[in-house]
Amino acid sequence: MLCRAITNLVAESCKTAPPNGFWEAANNKCSCQSWDVWTGDACCPANAFFDWTASQCTCNSDFQWDGSSCVSTGSSTSGLVNPVTECNGDGGACGCGLGGDGHLLSMNRFWGDDNDEQVFGCGGAFALDGASWDAQWGGTLSESGPEANVLQSIGVSFSQGASFDGWEGCCLICGANLQMTGKISSGWYCQKDLFSTGIWLKGRNK
């Protein structure tokens, strides 16, 4: 009874998540409309967060609103964008990407080049197309920039029509995002456990 009450409460909160939140009863989770991503407490466009003081979605620094989405101003110096959060190499939890439906890819711990942690949010049903991944980065993956150069260096042939699926696709997205933000060096790799219950991202020192 208590579990059902909590689920109902979360579902009701999800329906009022500003803007465009809806409850997926079949998957027991909150999701956003296809053009938005779940920020953890609201649905906002990629590269944005919900400003509770102003009661609106606000673009992250180095991005600006063009009337329909947050686009890169081309002046980014930090390289940090929406897909990567709190990955500081201090053993804390780390968000390393977003799935096609906006759910977070994460690790319970992050150790930089010494990383050896399971990536959560993958699963065999994971899917993300190139256009959505590019949108999360403000359109820089398909340009001749530092992010595109990283993808080429790890052998990812990026295109808007590309598809990154399943365990391997999910972990690749996580690792590439971390490398593009300078959180992990080249040489990382992904490996399933013996019984294929999950997939681990291992830094170059592992």
Side-chain angles (χ1 to χ4, degrees), residues 8 13 26 50 66 69-70 145 165 173 191 198 202:
N8 290 340
S13 172
F50 193 78
D66 71 348
S69 62
C70 292
D165 302 326
I173 295 294
Q191 187 176 67
K202 298 173 181 279

Side-chain angles (χ1 to χ4, degrees), residues 12-35:
E12 195 58 37
S13 172
C14 172
K15 291 175 184 175
T16 59
N20 303 321
F22 67 94
W23 181 252
E24 279 191 83
N27 296 318
N28 203 39
K29 68 175 183 177
C30 188
S31 291
C32 301
Q33 303 294 348
S34 59
W35 54 86

Side-chain angles (χ1 to χ4, degrees), residues 188-203:
W188 54 269
Y189 61 100
C190 297
Q191 187 176 67
K192 291 181 182 177
D193 67 325
L194 181 62
F195 300 102
S196 295
T197 61
I199 194 162
W200 273 250
L201 177 69
K202 298 173 181 279

